[in-house]
Amino acid sequence: SAALPPAFTGQNRSHPQSAVLYNRHQESLSLDEALRRANGNRTEAARLLGISRRTLYRRLGEPPAPA
């Protein structure tokens, strides 16, 4: 067992699924913080995050506002 890699011995604690959930959680916190700083203004929140408004809406799971 000492010669086996951590993935086979159960010692590997960094699972890809956990990393995905962590990244989604971190992104959610970033989106929430940007929206808070922008007083709910999605255009300003997108600017603060350095992403387009369309990307912000997509990440929030909302349909984009009409142009």
Side-chain angles (χ1 to χ4, degrees):
S1 138
L4 293 175
F8 291 105
T9 62
Q11 297 172 4
N12 185 0
R13 304 229 188 264
S14 62
H15 300 289
Q17 187 177 16
S18 297
V20 169
L21 292 174
Y22 176 78
N23 287 338
R24 285 184 185 158
H25 178 70
Q26 288 300 105
E27 179 178 288
S28 175
L29 292 176
S30 297
L31 294 173
D32 289 344
E33 177 64 15
L35 284 167
R36 186 187 67 74
R37 289 184 183 191
N39 295 318
N41 182 316
R42 286 168 169 71
T43 300
E44 177 64 12
R47 188 190 67 74
L48 290 170
L49 292 166
I51 60 176
S52 70
R53 229 183 46 193
R54 182 178 175 94
T55 298
L56 176 68
Y57 279 101
R58 206 169 44 243
R59 290 184 181 173
L60 290 171
E62 299 175 6

